[in-house]
Amino acid sequence: MSELSAPSPTGGAMAGARVGATTPARGLSGLVSRRGLGMAALILLLSFLTIYPFSMLMYGSLHSTPPGMAGEYNLDGYRQLMTREALGILLNTIGISLGKTIPSLGLAVFLAWIIARTDTPYRDKLEVLITLPFFIPPILTAMAWAMLGNPQVGLLNQVFKWATGANYSPINVYSWGGVVWHMVQYSTPFLFLFIVDVFRAMDPSLEESSRMCGASRLRTFGGITLMLMLPALTNSFILSFIRGMENFESPLFFGTPAKITVITTEMYNSINHHATPDYQYATAIGFAVMALMFLLVFAQWRILRGRSFATVTGKGYSPSVMKLGKWRWVTFGFCALFFAVTVVLPVSQLLIGSFFRFFGFYQWDMLTTEHYQAVFSSSEIWRAVTNTMMLGLVGATLTMALGAIVAYISVRTKWRGRRVIDALAWLPWMMPGMVLGIGFLWAFAMLPGPIPIYGTIWALLLAYLALGTPVATRVMTGAYAQLSFDLEECSRVHGASFFQTLWRILVALAWPSFAVGWVLTFFGIMRELSASVLLYSVGSEVLSVVLMKLWANGLAEQVSVIGLLMMLLVILFRWVQIKILQRYVTTLGA
Amino acid sequence: MSAISLQNISRHFGDFAAVDGVDLEAATGEFLTLLGPSGCGKTTTLRMVAGLEQNTGGRIVIGDEVVSDAERGFFMPPERRQLGMVFQSYAIWPHMTVFDNVAYPLRIRRRPKDEIQQRVTKALKLVEMDSFASRPAPALSGGQQQRVAIARALVFEPRVLLLDEPLSNLDARLRTQTGDEFRALQKRLGITSLYVTHDQGEAMSLSDRVVVMQKGRILQIGAPEDIYQRPRSRAVAEFFGAPNLVETTVRGCKQLANGLFELDVAGQGWSGTCRAGEAFASGVPALVMLRPETLTLADAATGGMSWTGEVASSIFRGAQRSLVVKTVAGALNVDTTAFAHPAVGSQVAIVADAAAAWALPATRQG
């Protein structure tokens, strides 16, 4: 009520600037209704991206046949979930996710401590290298590791045999350990990105006062530093655990050959590898996963409520850096080793793989460039490159624009309905790509004839938009939160209108975050596999799907070529992102 | 024996000297304040005493124990120095209760349980926080956190208490009250305290002695009255309030019985007497410091240090009124009672108190 009838002073100023002081009332009502229309459109768009596939998922799980076909409502899908086999898959998923999250967290804390709190040489460079794996599409390293750790012809096993003269293979990536190992490579940098900031932002006097109280450095670290970080560690643990349960690439590549099934691969198999796709079962799993995610997010919220310690102060001193003496080269070596194993090794495998006629047979007379020729002359691959680039550029731009608007409305205005918008934008956070993929699959199939989205590139674009919105919103929320309201109000007071203010001040000051978020979203689209593999059709393939098809056809060498090209792109974009961050974010912060 | 002795200590960051050859002695039970603008090296000095930063030159002795000697490469880590410290942000650990925060130093020292109970209760009583013992730390106000921080610093009976701008995060009224309470507590316990602040008022009202620092060096050490009324240099004089510094020429100088000097100085068209801390030769220039509150309004100029002039501005400050009066000696700041109310533009006469007029060498920097 108060929102509409008694406009805030900002609304008044805006109307005054627009229509002049003579007719403030008319200008105001016109503005309010225009704002109402805009909000309605936004809610509609977000509902289409989230609620619609969500309800289709529910419908699908309760209906015996795909949409449009005669069938009946029953609970068969859920009944299938209640079997011992399905329960085993669920436990498997939880086990694998726990199995990767725990060592990743330990590793990430150790790496973050090295980077943020020791005098290890070249820390700034190491930080960039350690976080690089996070930006590489997992499908690339999955394929590289499948070549490296293949029990018969894997490069690591060959080197081991050659070096020791043994005739057995110590490494087999097609195993529980292989799945976990591949996930650890991704969750460690992910967790590191969170934890290193917590280490850096901590008020150093909290630790110094412990030293003054007589506690040694070690005791201070255990009793104060880690305890203060506990909420943040719990938070990132749960996040990483959720991501582990959503993971598709690792169990697909390393679990499926070893008959290890998790929720995502089970969904994929029940649609793609059954004689008749069992949609009802797949959607029932999807729904169960979402319920589980919801419980986890709820648990996270309950655990952390009121426990996020404000340990950050603006005081000038940065946390003390521990002098390691000779040991600093050991910590340097550890960071370098992590980079070597997670990036250098798989990239080298791709490089080697791309130049030999057959992967696994590395002799001089097998050197060839025929795979490069094959890749560059394949129209299907070129189409996929074009599709991926188009989807990446357009998708990232649209996602960030949507995120910027949602974030602005939810943190910078008091407009009615802003909480609905915020909640809708967050909803996909609880939907793994695979689940959202199935939801969209049905959602698009159910659309009336004149809207041909099903089986087109638009289907992928909309799915990417939905998947990327939570992160985009979060990035922009952070960016707006750093800008004080004074800047905005100052601009308003000096006569700029609402939109001028938004453009001049917020966009001008928040654009580094926008750019960073854009690159992040672009990476997200490039690496996306689980939704794409369900929503693509002939003509709208993307690179990750093409890679998977080539791999399934045994063309590991061409996969290597494409993988290398994607790696180049990743490094290029990451470099641009870091340059932007260095130039703008640090100068803004200082 | 000094409780703290800093012997020519320095802290260099590359070519930049944050602290440059500081010598300082604090007597047992003394309240010593390091005062200066931000970046003057006062906090760095305190942190070197604490052991949170390593001095790159000189020696630090606490009691009869050398805790740091740069020349010999000896450095004792902070946890072994047995010092209490109160931080600007209080550094109360948010994951513990008030009791646990204060008990921490004793638990580190593995004291028996009943002793911890008794000493923590006593320390909390000292700062009147005993009824808050079971509160979680984030549920405290700033002033309460500050008290807990003091209790935690005192609970293990440290040799010296270090305080890094402990009042700066409190609001103005609480600041004065807490400062006075802390000073009373410090006197009662007789604990040697090294206090860092940029607030002149705090330094004046709390300290036994004040150390004025600038650019990593000590400008002057003395009792608050000395520093305020008898500064050695223009920089120290200007650090407190807005003193009038009038350019004069010395005409005569004689030593007084209390060791000070009386100068005969002349300005443009006027002359008078003032005090000085050192002998001046005749004919050299001197700056005469006239604190605004030592100038009074009179009916007419009386000769000596008195002038007439036009009131250029008048600001009511509640307890007093600040005037700017244009005279032959320059535009003078005058603080008078709020009831005196000369109109802007009117002519007034100003008389200086010769005992409060203080001469500085015009050429001395820093």
Side-chain angles (χ1 to χ4, degrees):
Chain A
M1 181 61 195
S2 62
E3 283 291 320
L4 292 172
S5 62
S8 60
T10 53
M14 185 159 47
R18 181 92 44 86
V19 297
T22 48
T23 56
R26 229 193 74 214
L28 215 62
S29 66
L31 185 92
V32 166
S33 66
R34 206 178 308 166
R35 178 200 290 171
L37 272 179
M39 289 290 280
L42 196 56
I43 290 177
L44 212 63
L45 172 67
L46 287 169
S47 303
F48 179 74
L49 290 175
T50 55
I51 301 276
Y52 183 44
F54 179 83
S55 28
M56 278 299 127
L57 210 59
M58 184 143 86
Y59 165 81
S61 70
L62 294 170
H63 202 259
S64 62
T65 55
M69 283 189 224
E72 50 163 10
Y73 290 96
N74 60 33
L75 291 173
D76 284 354
Y78 291 101
R79 221 163 276 142
Q80 262 176 284
L81 268 187
M82 294 299 149
T83 57
R84 179 186 288 264
E85 201 189 348
L87 204 68
I89 289 169
L90 178 68
L91 289 179
N92 229 346
T93 312
I94 293 174
I96 283 179
S97 194
L98 275 183
K100 70 102 190 182
T101 307
I102 293 166
S104 303
L105 190 68
L107 206 56
V109 169
F110 185 52
L111 288 170
W113 173 78
I114 291 176
I115 298 299
R117 292 296 179 85
T118 69
D119 64 342
T120 302
Y122 306 113
R123 296 193 294 285
D124 48 338
K125 311 247 178 340
L126 284 173
E127 184 176 358
V128 174
L129 297 181
I130 286 173
T131 51
L132 191 61
F134 179 69
F135 299 92
I136 303 174
I139 189 169
L140 291 188
T141 50
M143 290 166 173
W145 275 99
M147 296 187 243
L148 281 167
N150 183 304
Q152 281 84 44
V153 291
L155 187 62
L156 291 180
N157 286 322
Q158 288 194 31
V159 169
F160 175 81
K161 286 180 195 166
W162 171 79
T164 61
N167 57 1
Y168 66 94
S169 303
I171 296 170
N172 179 10
V173 286
Y174 299 115
S175 62
W176 198 88
V179 178
V180 166
W181 162 240
H182 187 246
M183 287 184 173
V184 164
Q185 292 179 49
Y186 282 88
S187 48
T188 303
F190 174 79
L191 289 165
F192 173 89
L193 284 166
F194 279 92
I195 294 166
V196 78
D197 278 344
V198 181
F199 264 123
R200 288 213 178 103
M202 191 176 288
D203 177 358
S205 66
L206 288 167
E207 290 175 353
E208 287 169 356
S209 60
S210 167
R211 301 290 301 281
M212 296 308 296
C213 286
S216 65
R217 202 183 272 276
L218 196 68
R219 175 124 195 212
T220 299
F221 187 77
I224 303 293
T225 315
L226 278 185
M227 288 300 135
L228 286 171
M229 288 173 69
L230 206 55
L233 291 180
T234 316
N235 196 4
S236 37
F237 183 90
I238 295 176
L239 266 181
S240 178
F241 180 67
I242 290 177
R243 283 175 64 100
M245 303 208 2
E246 297 178 358
N247 190 308
F248 177 54
E249 288 89 346
S250 313
L252 178 72
F253 276 87
F254 306 121
T256 308
K259 307 255 180 300
I260 298 167
T261 312
V262 298
I263 290 174
T264 48
T265 49
E266 176 75 355
M267 282 168 78
Y268 180 69
N269 289 340
S270 63
I271 291 177
N272 275 20
H273 291 188
H274 283 200
T276 49
D278 192 348
Y279 283 111
Q280 195 180 10
Y281 177 48
T283 44
I285 305 176
F287 219 75
V289 170
M290 280 191 40
L292 203 64
M293 295 289 166
F294 181 77
L295 282 180
L296 277 171
V297 172
F298 184 71
Q300 182 184 15
W301 176 72
R302 280 299 297 268
I303 292 172
L304 295 176
R305 195 174 44 173
R307 303 227 333 135
S308 69
F309 307 136
T311 56
V312 183
T313 65
K315 198 151 187 236
Y317 288 100
S318 49
S320 67
V321 163
M322 189 174 164
K323 292 192 174 63
L324 292 177
K326 275 184 212 148
W327 285 94
R328 72 186 201 277
W329 290 105
V330 176
T331 52
F332 172 85
F334 187 81
C335 296
L337 185 71
F338 181 82
F339 173 69
V341 171
T342 56
V343 177
V344 176
L345 210 55
V347 171
S348 316
Q349 171 65 64
L350 293 179
L351 199 65
I352 294 169
S354 70
F355 281 111
F356 284 93
R357 185 157 293 148
F358 300 110
F359 129 74
F361 299 92
Y362 307 120
Q363 271 121 35
W364 287 114
D365 58 343
M366 296 288 237
L367 274 173
T368 175
T369 56
E370 66 184 41
H371 307 308
Y372 284 85
Q373 289 159 13
V375 165
F376 287 119
S377 61
S378 158
S379 63
E380 193 196 11
I381 290 171
W382 275 113
R383 196 168 61 204
V385 170
T386 321
N387 283 342
T388 308
M389 282 294 130
M390 284 293 294
L391 283 169
L393 297 174
V394 176
T397 310
L398 288 181
T399 310
M400 284 310 294
L402 185 63
I405 292 171
V406 168
Y408 184 83
I409 291 174
S410 67
V411 299
R412 287 271 158 164
T413 73
K414 303 232 180 300
W415 295 355
R416 173 180 284 202
R418 66 184 198 282
R419 286 184 206 288
V420 178
I421 286 180
D422 197 37
L424 285 176
W426 269 105
L427 203 57
W429 189 248
M430 283 181 281
M431 298 196 200
M434 180 69 62
V435 174
L436 199 77
I438 297 182
F440 269 126
L441 197 63
W442 284 36
F444 296 145
M446 286 289 275
L447 282 175
I451 312 175
I453 291 178
Y454 185 80
T456 67
I457 201 161
W458 296 100
L460 289 168
L461 184 66
L462 287 168
Y464 294 159
L465 194 53
L467 283 170
T469 302
V471 173
T473 309
R474 175 176 247 194
V475 168
M476 292 314 287
T477 305
Y480 295 143
Q482 283 173 358
L483 301 176
S484 98
F485 277 94
D486 299 353
L487 285 172
E488 209 176 319
E489 283 165 358
C490 176
S491 155
R492 299 293 296 281
V493 166
H494 288 98
S497 78
F498 172 78
F499 284 103
Q500 280 175 321
T501 301
L502 183 68
W503 182 251
R504 285 280 177 78
I505 301 293
L506 288 179
V507 175
L509 290 174
W511 84 263
S513 301
F514 188 94
V516 167
W518 191 93
V519 175
L520 217 60
T521 316
F522 185 86
F523 281 135
I525 292 173
M526 237 183 19
R527 65 190 286 177
E528 216 297 318
L529 178 67
S530 51
S532 317
V533 82
L534 292 174
L535 292 170
Y536 87 93
S537 64
V538 178
S540 68
E541 298 98 337
V542 289
L543 266 178
S544 55
V545 172
V546 166
L547 278 173
M548 211 174 93
K549 281 164 80 180
L550 288 174
W551 180 262
N553 294 337
L555 297 168
E557 302 80 11
Q558 290 189 21
V559 162
S560 304
V561 175
I562 301 173
L564 277 177
L565 299 179
M566 284 177 87
M567 273 305 304
L568 282 178
L569 208 62
V570 166
I571 290 168
L572 179 74
F573 272 77
R574 176 78 180 131
W575 181 76
V576 169
Q577 187 190 23
I578 287 169
K579 284 289 150 200
I580 293 172
L581 272 174
Q582 276 172 353
R583 176 140 11 126
Y584 293 97
V585 176
T586 51
T587 50
L588 272 180
Chain B
M1 183 192 73
S2 300
I4 312 170
S5 167
L6 309 185
Q7 297 160 11
N8 194 28
I9 64 163
S10 303
R11 177 76 173 116
H12 289 266
F13 297 98
D15 286 339
F16 172 71
V19 175
D20 195 7
V22 161
D23 282 295
L24 193 59
E25 305 273 328
T28 305
E30 191 177 23
F31 194 118
L32 197 62
T33 298
L34 303 181
L35 176 69
S38 58
C40 72
K42 57 189 192 300
T43 297
T44 307
T45 305
L46 187 81
R47 289 170 62 84
M48 287 193 289
V49 176
L52 295 171
E53 231 150 288
Q54 197 166 348
N55 47 316
T56 50
R59 226 158 71 107
I60 301 174
V61 185
I62 295 174
D64 49 8
E65 188 178 27
V66 177
V67 294
S68 176
D69 188 338
E71 278 68 41
R72 285 195 304 139
F74 174 74
F75 178 77
M76 186 187 279
E79 61 266 26
R80 283 179 45 214
R81 295 192 181 188
Q82 307 281 343
L83 307 173
M85 185 156 173
V86 179
F87 290 80
Q88 184 177 20
S89 60
Y90 318 132
I92 296 299
W93 299 304
H95 61 299
M96 296 182 186
T97 62
V98 166
F99 186 92
D100 291 335
N101 262 286
V102 179
Y104 187 81
L106 299 173
R107 291 196 173 129
I108 294 289
R109 289 170 175 76
R110 298 180 193 285
R111 308 311 303 169
K113 225 176 180 158
D114 46 340
E115 187 195 327
I116 291 179
Q117 179 71 41
Q118 181 215 331
R119 286 173 72 172
V120 170
T121 311
K122 195 177 144 208
L124 285 174
K125 267 211 180 87
L126 221 49
V127 295
E128 293 166 25
M129 284 294 289
D130 41 327
S131 56
F132 293 88
S134 56
R135 283 269 185 105
L140 299 180
S141 70
Q144 290 169 333
Q145 288 194 33
Q146 216 267 357
R147 288 159 183 267
V148 175
I150 290 174
R152 184 178 62 189
L154 289 174
V155 73
F156 62 97
E157 286 163 14
R159 297 190 285 188
V160 172
L161 190 58
L162 308 174
L163 303 105
D164 183 10
E165 309 217 15
L167 302 179
S168 65
N169 285 341
L170 300 179
D171 61 59
R173 197 143 44 120
L174 202 54
R175 201 179 303 166
T176 316
Q177 187 201 336
T178 313
D180 293 348
E181 282 173 10
F182 176 69
R183 174 59 163 151
L185 180 66
Q186 185 269 339
K187 271 186 178 154
R188 190 144 58 89
L189 299 177
I191 185 165
T192 313
S193 301
L194 192 57
Y195 188 101
V196 162
T197 184
H198 65 270
D199 184 306
Q200 330 139 13
E202 258 171 49
M204 296 283 111
S205 58
L206 298 179
S207 325
D208 290 318
R209 282 194 301 156
V210 177
V211 181
V212 184
M213 290 184 71
Q214 191 183 51
K215 292 178 185 158
R217 292 171 175 276
I218 293 179
L219 293 182
Q220 190 171 352
I221 305 177
E225 290 86 351
D226 280 336
I227 301 278
Y228 187 77
Q229 296 167 351
R230 295 178 283 279
R232 275 188 66 246
S233 64
R234 182 177 186 147
V236 175
E238 284 184 328
F239 194 71
F240 300 95
N244 301 295
L245 295 167
V246 182
E247 287 173 18
T248 62
T249 309
V250 178
R251 290 200 305 201
C253 174
K254 70 174 182 206
Q255 188 155 19
L256 299 174
N258 60 5
L260 296 178
F261 297 82
E262 187 177 86
L263 299 188
D264 197 7
V265 294
Q268 276 184 322
W270 62 274
S271 62
T273 60
C274 66
R275 304 286 156 86
E278 56 206 289
F280 281 71
S282 281
V284 301
L287 283 176
V288 175
M289 179 189 81
L290 302 166
R291 293 270 173 208
E293 70 276 12
T294 64
L295 299 175
T296 47
L297 296 182
D299 295 332
T302 54
M305 277 205 182
S306 70
W307 307 271
T308 54
E310 183 190 315
V311 178
S313 76
S314 165
I315 299 168
F316 176 66
R317 296 195 193 276
Q320 80 226 26
R321 186 178 297 277
S322 297
L323 307 176
V324 176
V325 182
K326 284 186 182 157
T327 69
V328 288
L332 298 179
N333 297 315
V334 180
D335 283 353
T336 175
T337 65
F339 292 103
H341 193 188
V344 172
S346 63
Q347 293 286 318
V348 292
I350 305 165
V351 177
D353 177 1
W358 183 257
L360 301 166
T363 49
R364 183 182 290 155
Q365 297 297 317

